[in-house]
Amino acid sequence: TMTEGFWRGVDRVEVLRLVSGAAAYFPASVVNAPSMRKNLVWVEHESLMVGGSKRMKEYVHPTRIRLSPPPFEISRSFVAGDEVDVFIDSEGFWVRGKVTANFGNSKYIVRVKGGDGTETEANRLNLRLHQWINGQWTSPNKEDPPLKKRKPCERAEKVFNKQWSSSSLYKEDPPLKKLKRCEIEEKVFSNGTMVEVRSDEQGYEGSWYTAKIISYLGENRYRVEYQTLTTEDLKELLKEEARGSDIRPNPPQSACDRYELKQPVDAWYNDGWWSGRVYKINSDYTRYVVYFETTDERFVFGYNDVRPCHV
């Protein structure tokens, strides 16, 4: 099944979305390997655009992704009754259907499965035999075995040397303690302390996740338990080793009456706080477009999902 797949950066995939009640698959490429922390894959779409000129990127749950199929025969002809996938040029996705008529000159009528069962005209180059069976690609030649699933890739070793510092939101509060880069520090956080841990994975830079200190491991390293991230089987909270330089105390609970254009903020997204800047505001200051420089993306957030940036 799709939940058993593993992907690497630059793999070509198809992303499932529902369009008018039909299962539509959008061609995309994996930007980086799946995050072991958040069970999400960062993909770049081939046909979905942002602003009319830039390919859309998004975080997708693995259950919505399948590897692109093997090359299909573009010289193949189809007959009425063939189970096919048809590419809808105007929307940029593949959807399952059945050939109902052949006009000759490589033109076909296909009835889409799901939704309202609409019919669409397609040329031969936009058709392929439907080969996605029981969660895997099958070959039209019965003697060929199905495509093999990829084994999990080993997680790359983390490398992140940027140092975080914090200033208080209130002048009377003392600044949070800074950690010097590449220095062995004494224990700073006690067991049970609630903190935020920075992610250093590609595509997740600038995000912080709430965690609890479980134990101090020595040499400025801690064992932490995330409060919003779970293990792959979703049965328990994720535990992980983290460097002291990637940990900060939980910021004070605070909010502004409203946020202004270009103001640095943290926005709640994908189970963590992401640092960005206010890009647009609606008329009553209840919704904000926040720009994230690390991913060059903009998303809309409600007032309750934004807080002052703690940098």
Side-chain angles (χ1 to χ4, degrees):
T1 65
M2 284 190 288
T3 57
E4 296 172 326
F6 291 88
W7 301 274
R8 299 171 301 193
V10 309
D11 271 345
R12 298 192 70 247
V13 296
E14 294 180 347
V15 178
L16 172 64
R17 288 168 169 257
L18 287 180
V19 177
S20 300
Y25 285 89
F26 290 79
S29 297
V30 174
V31 177
N32 59 267
S35 166
M36 300 300 289
R37 289 183 177 181
K38 292 164 282 297
N39 289 325
L40 296 173
V41 184
W42 194 29
V43 302
E44 180 179 65
H45 285 272
E46 294 181 5
S47 55
L48 296 181
M49 310 298 288
V50 177
S53 60
K54 185 177 180 181
R55 290 180 176 179
M56 188 181 88
K57 295 179 183 178
E58 66 172 338
Y59 297 99
V60 182
H61 195 277
T63 56
R64 291 176 48 210
I65 300 177
R66 67 185 185 190
L67 283 170
S68 293
F72 55 94
E73 303 173 75
I74 61 175
S75 61
R76 181 186 178 91
S77 296
F78 301 91
V79 297
D82 276 348
E83 294 281 342
V84 296
D85 296 333
V86 55
F87 189 76
I88 309 300
D89 266 324
S90 59
E91 303 291 340
F93 61 75
W94 291 94
V95 64
R96 185 177 178 180
K98 179 180 287 189
V99 175
T100 59
N102 180 354
F103 285 158
N105 297 322
S106 300
K107 296 288 187 180
Y108 301 86
I109 295 295
V110 178
R111 178 176 289 114
V112 173
K113 287 201 170 185
D116 56 6
T118 185
E119 290 192 334
T120 183
E121 181 179 322
N123 63 49
R124 185 175 60 195
L125 296 180
N126 284 346
L127 291 179
R128 66 189 186 196
L129 279 179
H130 180 72
Q131 297 172 241
W132 181 252
I133 309 296
N134 296 326
Q136 62 183 357
W137 291 109
T138 59
S139 171
N141 183 348
K142 294 183 179 179
E143 296 179 358
D144 293 339
L147 292 180
K148 293 183 179 179
K149 296 185 177 69
R150 180 172 297 126
K151 296 181 179 179
C153 299
E154 292 185 1
R155 190 176 180 185
E157 182 180 355
K158 297 178 180 179
V159 180
F160 195 108
N161 291 321
K162 269 191 172 181
Q163 178 56 49
W164 174 86
S165 63
S166 174
S167 59
S168 173
L169 293 175
Y170 306 99
K171 292 183 178 179
E172 62 268 27
D173 292 342
L176 299 176
K177 181 177 180 180
K178 299 179 181 179
L179 295 177
K180 295 181 179 179
R181 189 177 301 173
C182 301
E183 179 180 349
I184 302 300
E185 294 283 346
E186 296 297 328
K187 181 178 179 181
V188 175
F189 303 104
S190 301
N191 295 352
T193 301
M194 299 302 296
V195 296
E196 289 185 344
V197 180
R198 173 176 53 191
S199 173
D200 56 15
E201 295 181 34
Q202 182 183 1
Y204 296 91
E205 298 94 335
S207 59
W208 293 84
Y209 299 87
T210 303
K212 180 171 65 176
I213 299 293
I214 297 177
S215 62
Y216 181 61
L217 304 177
E219 296 187 349
N220 198 25
R221 290 184 173 270
Y222 296 83
R223 182 78 171 165
V224 301
E225 179 183 68
Y226 292 97
Q227 303 300 291
T228 59
L229 308 178
T230 62
T231 54
E232 288 187 77
D233 58 12
L234 306 179
K235 292 183 178 180
E236 60 183 30
L237 294 174
L238 179 65
K239 297 180 179 66
E240 196 171 59
E241 181 179 321
R243 291 186 296 268
S245 56
D246 288 333
I247 301 174
R248 68 184 182 188
N250 251 0
Q253 296 295 322
S254 59
C256 297
D257 291 335
R258 66 184 193 182
Y259 302 94
E260 304 296 340
L261 285 176
K262 299 184 180 180
Q263 180 176 346
V265 294
D266 292 339
W268 182 257
Y269 180 63
N270 277 342
D271 300 319
W273 290 101
W274 294 64
S275 299
R277 289 183 178 272
V278 175
Y279 182 75
K280 287 184 180 179
I281 309 170
N282 71 344
S283 59
D284 57 1
Y285 287 85
T286 59
R287 296 182 70 78
Y288 299 84
V289 176
V290 178
Y291 171 70
F292 301 107
E293 184 177 358
T294 54
T295 59
D296 192 26
E297 294 175 305
R298 301 170 179 87
F299 295 102
V300 179
F301 297 92
Y303 171 81
N304 291 331
D305 290 327
V306 179
R307 72 182 188 187
C309 185
H310 297 275
V311 176

